[in-house]
Amino acid sequence: MPTEPASGHDLRHHGDAEVRDGGGTLVDLAVNVRADTPPAWLRARMAASLAGLAAYPDGRAARAAVAARHGLPVERVLLTAGAAEAFVLLARALKVSRPVVVHPQFTEPEAALRDAGHTVDRVLLRESDGFRLDPAAVPEEADLVVVGNPTNPTSVLHPAETLTRLSRHGRTLVVDEAFMDAVPGEREALAGRTDVPGLVVLRSLTKTWGLAGLRIGYVLAAPETVAQLERSQPLWPVSTPALVAAEACVSPAALAEAEEAARVVAADRAHLIAGLRDFASHGLRVTDPAEAPFVLVRVPAAADVRERLRSLGYATRRGDTFPGLDEEWLRLAVRDRKTTEGFLRALGRALGA
């Protein structure tokens, strides 16, 4: 697993770029947000909160609800405007000298670190290893390590034991669990753990609940780290509707709904992967086992295939903006079986099958 300094990838390119500015008519397999959300009960809760917009946001109830959901004291919880804000806070607030980002993964952590003036090293996971992490590949002197679990875009779920081996005295270990609630049983989760020194876990409520436009997430960390990050936040960083959504989405009923959704996603993902394997003779390879609500595929001339799919009505996520990947990679969001069947027919046409 090589280590390399930052280089020329478009770290600010995200899946939404594939469907905006004329992409509204496309079937969206580029953005990793559930297509059938937010549910009616959650929309109603948020709509009811609009009557209280004259008052400044009060995050105490939502913070307490998130803390209770993970069995933590409120001092270990920080609510943020999406997980992406947390990356900016970490980059600006923490005093680190050698940050390392494990790639391929969500590019915003590195972008935030670079914007804050840090020199960032990369540990590149390899396809030949199934994009699995060997903790020994991370330099011992790294005092900030960022890794996703399950990882975007590879869909790899790293064992919790592997990640905890990255913990060191004097090191901050940031684990991005933005998609963990899409894993049945949230196995391998570190959220709620207090026995791992330097651990910072990030969670997003925008993926499973379809709230990307609302911006709501949270940080779980030691109280002193939470206090340090909070000092870098602007006043009232999370809106009242977002706070209401946070409280609602960690309720027992919502957690049960999310668990059922995770099991549906797992079945739909298996259906997608089975269909993708039918194109192995055309050089298409699936990164497997996949554990997130998306899959990563390698296909020759992927840029041309992506454009052909657009002409057939389907948007997919290019992979070459992720460090460690090149122009032969595409990321595909998991959708319902009817959508998947339509996509697989289009993919066959795009590949000339």
Side-chain angles (χ1 to χ4, degrees):
M1 297 180 189
T3 302
E4 69 166 24
S7 57
H9 289 79
D10 183 1
L11 301 179
R12 296 296 191 188
H13 182 91
H14 300 297
D16 61 311
E18 313 287 353
V19 291
R20 64 173 182 252
D21 298 333
T25 59
L26 299 173
V27 178
D28 181 9
L29 277 73
V31 177
N32 294 325
V33 175
R34 271 179 57 201
D36 59 344
T37 48
W41 65 263
L42 182 54
R43 292 198 303 270
R45 289 281 297 272
M46 291 186 292
S49 75
L50 300 181
L53 292 186
Y56 285 97
D58 183 349
R60 289 176 295 178
R63 188 179 184 186
V66 170
R69 181 255 196 270
H70 293 287
L72 295 171
V74 293
E75 293 80 11
R76 283 184 167 267
V77 175
L78 180 67
L79 302 174
T80 59
E85 188 205 6
F87 293 124
V88 174
L89 296 176
L90 289 163
R92 294 178 178 177
L94 300 186
K95 307 303 180 186
V96 297
S97 59
R98 188 168 182 190
V100 170
V101 179
V102 178
H103 285 290
Q105 79 148 342
F106 184 50
T107 54
E108 204 60 33
E110 180 175 320
L113 285 162
R114 293 173 64 185
D115 287 347
H118 296 284
T119 299
V120 182
D121 286 338
R122 296 171 176 165
V123 170
L124 300 181
L125 308 186
R126 296 180 298 214
E127 180 190 11
S128 59
D129 297 325
F131 297 108
R132 296 283 168 181
L133 173 64
D134 177 3
V138 176
E140 188 69 28
E141 59 271 26
D143 55 359
L144 173 69
V145 178
V146 185
V147 60
N149 203 40
T151 305
N152 172 19
T154 64
S155 203
V156 168
L157 183 67
H158 301 290
E161 187 274 335
T162 298
L163 296 179
T164 57
R165 286 167 55 197
L166 291 171
S167 177
R168 299 280 190 282
H169 176 70
R171 171 186 288 177
T172 300
L173 171 61
V174 179
V175 182
D176 176 10
E177 292 188 350
F179 293 98
M180 187 60 78
D181 60 354
V183 177
E186 296 195 0
R187 65 187 191 283
E188 313 303 344
L190 293 178
R193 294 277 295 269
T194 60
D195 61 327
V196 183
L199 177 65
V200 176
V201 175
L202 309 184
R203 284 289 182 109
S204 170
L205 295 172
T206 65
K207 317 300 184 187
T208 286
W209 298 107
L211 298 174
L214 192 67
R215 312 310 305 141
I216 180 63
Y218 53 88
V219 178
L220 305 174
E224 57 271 22
T225 301
V226 167
Q228 194 173 2
L229 299 179
E230 192 169 17
R231 286 193 292 270
S232 294
Q233 274 188 312
L235 292 173
W236 309 292
V238 182
S239 70
T240 295
L243 293 171
V244 167
E247 187 175 358
C249 290
V250 297
S251 69
L255 294 178
E257 184 174 326
E259 175 67 15
E260 176 58 27
R263 297 187 184 281
V264 170
V265 165
D268 289 342
R269 182 179 59 239
H271 182 70
L272 170 62
I273 290 174
L276 291 170
R277 285 183 173 145
D278 289 340
F279 299 106
S281 61
H282 292 265
L284 188 148
R285 296 201 301 274
V286 182
T287 300
D288 201 27
E291 301 284 357
F294 47 85
V295 298
L296 181 67
V297 300
R298 187 168 196 167
V299 60
D304 292 337
V305 172
R306 185 167 61 90
E307 288 305 313
R308 291 185 206 124
L309 285 168
R310 286 184 70 86
S311 70
L312 295 168
Y314 292 86
T316 59
R317 171 65 158 91
R318 59 189 283 197
D320 61 332
T321 64
F322 292 101
L325 303 182
D326 58 25
E327 64 278 359
E328 289 197 341
W329 294 91
L330 296 174
R331 189 192 69 195
L332 310 172
V334 174
R335 298 295 185 230
D336 63 87
R337 294 196 177 201
K338 180 180 179 181
T339 301
T340 292
E341 289 299 328
F343 167 72
L344 291 171
R345 288 192 294 271
L347 179 60
R349 293 176 62 186
L351 292 174

Short mmCIF file of all heavy atoms in Angstrom, two decimals, residues 224-247:
data_model
loop_
_atom_site.label_atom_id
_atom_site.label_comp_id
_atom_site.label_asym_id
_atom_site.label_seq_id
_atom_site.Cartn_x
_atom_site.Cartn_y
_atom_site.Cartn_z
N GLU A 224 -13.17 16.83 25.35
CA GLU A 224 -12.23 17.90 25.05
C GLU A 224 -12.13 18.14 23.54
O GLU A 224 -11.96 19.29 23.09
CB GLU A 224 -10.86 17.61 25.65
CG GLU A 224 -10.23 16.31 25.21
CD GLU A 224 -10.59 15.13 26.10
OE1 GLU A 224 -11.64 15.19 26.78
OE2 GLU A 224 -9.81 14.14 26.11
N THR A 225 -12.25 17.08 22.75
CA THR A 225 -12.23 17.25 21.29
C THR A 225 -13.50 17.92 20.81
O THR A 225 -13.46 18.82 19.96
CB THR A 225 -12.07 15.88 20.60
OG1 THR A 225 -10.86 15.27 21.05
CG2 THR A 225 -12.04 16.03 19.10
N VAL A 226 -14.65 17.51 21.36
CA VAL A 226 -15.92 18.14 21.01
C VAL A 226 -15.87 19.63 21.34
O VAL A 226 -16.27 20.48 20.53
CB VAL A 226 -17.09 17.45 21.75
CG1 VAL A 226 -18.36 18.30 21.66
CG2 VAL A 226 -17.33 16.07 21.16
N ALA A 227 -15.36 19.98 22.51
CA ALA A 227 -15.27 21.39 22.90
C ALA A 227 -14.36 22.16 21.96
O ALA A 227 -14.66 23.32 21.59
CB ALA A 227 -14.77 21.51 24.34
N GLN A 228 -13.28 21.56 21.54
CA GLN A 228 -12.35 22.21 20.62
C GLN A 228 -13.00 22.46 19.27
O GLN A 228 -12.86 23.55 18.68
CB GLN A 228 -11.11 21.32 20.45
CG GLN A 228 -9.92 21.99 19.80
CD GLN A 228 -8.69 21.08 19.83
OE1 GLN A 228 -8.74 19.95 20.29
NE2 GLN A 228 -7.58 21.58 19.32
N LEU A 229 -13.73 21.49 18.76
CA LEU A 229 -14.43 21.66 17.49
C LEU A 229 -15.55 22.68 17.60
O LEU A 229 -15.76 23.50 16.69
CB LEU A 229 -14.99 20.32 17.02
CG LEU A 229 -13.97 19.20 16.76
CD1 LEU A 229 -14.71 17.93 16.33
CD2 LEU A 229 -12.96 19.61 15.72
N GLU A 230 -16.26 22.65 18.71
CA GLU A 230 -17.39 23.56 18.89
C GLU A 230 -16.93 25.01 18.88
O GLU A 230 -17.66 25.90 18.40
CB GLU A 230 -18.11 23.23 20.20
CG GLU A 230 -19.45 23.92 20.35
CD GLU A 230 -20.24 23.38 21.52
OE1 GLU A 230 -19.66 22.70 22.40
OE2 GLU A 230 -21.47 23.62 21.55
N ARG A 231 -15.74 25.27 19.38
CA ARG A 231 -15.24 26.66 19.38
C ARG A 231 -14.98 27.17 17.97
O ARG A 231 -14.93 28.38 17.75
CB ARG A 231 -13.96 26.73 20.21
CG ARG A 231 -14.19 26.66 21.71
CD ARG A 231 -12.95 27.06 22.49
NE ARG A 231 -11.86 26.10 22.34
CZ ARG A 231 -11.68 25.05 23.14
NH1 ARG A 231 -12.53 24.82 24.15
NH2 ARG A 231 -10.66 24.24 22.95
N SER A 232 -14.81 26.26 17.01
CA SER A 232 -14.59 26.67 15.62
C SER A 232 -15.88 26.79 14.83
O SER A 232 -15.85 27.23 13.67
CB SER A 232 -13.67 25.66 14.93
OG SER A 232 -12.38 25.69 15.49
N GLN A 233 -17.00 26.39 15.43
CA GLN A 233 -18.29 26.51 14.74
C GLN A 233 -18.82 27.93 14.80
O GLN A 233 -18.60 28.65 15.79
CB GLN A 233 -19.33 25.58 15.37
CG GLN A 233 -19.33 24.17 14.84
CD GLN A 233 -20.51 23.37 15.37
OE1 GLN A 233 -20.80 23.37 16.57
NE2 GLN A 233 -21.21 22.68 14.48
N PRO A 234 -19.55 28.36 13.78
CA PRO A 234 -20.28 29.62 13.90
C PRO A 234 -21.44 29.46 14.87
O PRO A 234 -21.80 28.33 15.25
CB PRO A 234 -20.79 29.88 12.48
CG PRO A 234 -20.91 28.51 11.88
CD PRO A 234 -19.78 27.71 12.48
N LEU A 235 -22.02 30.58 15.28
CA LEU A 235 -23.20 30.51 16.15
C LEU A 235 -24.35 29.85 15.41
O LEU A 235 -24.54 30.05 14.22
CB LEU A 235 -23.60 31.91 16.60
CG LEU A 235 -22.62 32.63 17.54
CD1 LEU A 235 -23.08 34.07 17.76
CD2 LEU A 235 -22.53 31.89 18.87
N TRP A 236 -25.13 29.05 16.12
CA TRP A 236 -26.33 28.40 15.60
C TRP A 236 -26.06 27.73 14.24
O TRP A 236 -26.70 28.04 13.23
CB TRP A 236 -27.47 29.41 15.46
CG TRP A 236 -27.69 30.18 16.71
CD1 TRP A 236 -28.17 29.73 17.91
CD2 TRP A 236 -27.40 31.58 16.91
NE1 TRP A 236 -28.21 30.74 18.84
CE2 TRP A 236 -27.74 31.90 18.26
CE3 TRP A 236 -26.90 32.60 16.09
CZ2 TRP A 236 -27.58 33.16 18.79
CZ3 TRP A 236 -26.74 33.86 16.62
CH2 TRP A 236 -27.07 34.13 17.96
N PRO A 237 -25.14 26.78 14.19
CA PRO A 237 -24.75 26.20 12.90
C PRO A 237 -25.78 25.24 12.30
O PRO A 237 -25.73 24.97 11.09
CB PRO A 237 -23.46 25.45 13.25
CG PRO A 237 -23.63 25.07 14.69
CD PRO A 237 -24.37 26.21 15.31
N VAL A 238 -26.69 24.73 13.13
CA VAL A 238 -27.68 23.77 12.65
C VAL A 238 -29.06 24.38 12.78
O VAL A 238 -29.44 24.85 13.86
CB VAL A 238 -27.59 22.44 13.44
CG1 VAL A 238 -28.60 21.43 12.90
CG2 VAL A 238 -26.17 21.87 13.36
N SER A 239 -29.82 24.38 11.70
CA SER A 239 -31.13 25.02 11.67
C SER A 239 -32.15 24.25 12.51
O SER A 239 -31.98 23.06 12.80
CB SER A 239 -31.64 25.11 10.24
OG SER A 239 -31.97 23.82 9.74
N THR A 240 -33.23 24.92 12.86
CA THR A 240 -34.29 24.29 13.63
C THR A 240 -34.88 23.07 12.93
O THR A 240 -35.05 22.01 13.55
CB THR A 240 -35.39 25.31 13.97
OG1 THR A 240 -34.82 26.32 14.84
CG2 THR A 240 -36.57 24.65 14.66
N PRO A 241 -35.23 23.14 11.63
CA PRO A 241 -35.75 21.93 10.98
C PRO A 241 -34.74 20.77 11.00
O PRO A 241 -35.13 19.61 11.16
CB PRO A 241 -36.03 22.39 9.54
CG PRO A 241 -36.28 23.86 9.66
CD PRO A 241 -35.33 24.32 10.74
N ALA A 242 -33.45 21.08 10.87
CA ALA A 242 -32.43 20.03 10.92
C ALA A 242 -32.33 19.42 12.31
O ALA A 242 -32.15 18.20 12.45
CB ALA A 242 -31.08 20.59 10.48
N LEU A 243 -32.45 20.23 13.33
CA LEU A 243 -32.44 19.71 14.70
C LEU A 243 -33.64 18.81 14.96
O LEU A 243 -33.51 17.74 15.59
CB LEU A 243 -32.43 20.87 15.70
CG LEU A 243 -31.17 21.73 15.72
CD1 LEU A 243 -31.39 22.96 16.59
CD2 LEU A 243 -29.97 20.93 16.22
N VAL A 244 -34.79 19.21 14.48
CA VAL A 244 -35.99 18.38 14.62
C VAL A 244 -35.79 17.05 13.89
O VAL A 244 -36.15 15.98 14.41
CB VAL A 244 -37.22 19.14 14.08
CG1 VAL A 244 -38.42 18.20 13.92
CG2 VAL A 244 -37.57 20.29 15.01
N ALA A 245 -35.19 17.12 12.70
CA ALA A 245 -34.94 15.88 11.95
C ALA A 245 -33.97 14.98 12.69
O ALA A 245 -34.16 13.76 12.74
CB ALA A 245 -34.40 16.23 10.56
N ALA A 246 -32.93 15.56 13.27
CA ALA A 246 -31.96 14.76 14.01
C ALA A 246 -32.61 14.01 15.16
O ALA A 246 -32.38 12.81 15.36
CB ALA A 246 -30.83 15.65 14.53
N GLU A 247 -33.42 14.72 15.91
CA GLU A 247 -34.09 14.09 17.05
C GLU A 247 -35.03 12.98 16.58
O GLU A 247 -35.09 11.90 17.18
CB GLU A 247 -34.87 15.15 17.84
CG GLU A 247 -35.46 14.63 19.13
CD GLU A 247 -36.13 15.73 19.96
OE1 GLU A 247 -36.10 16.91 19.54
OE2 GLU A 247 -36.67 15.40 21.02
#
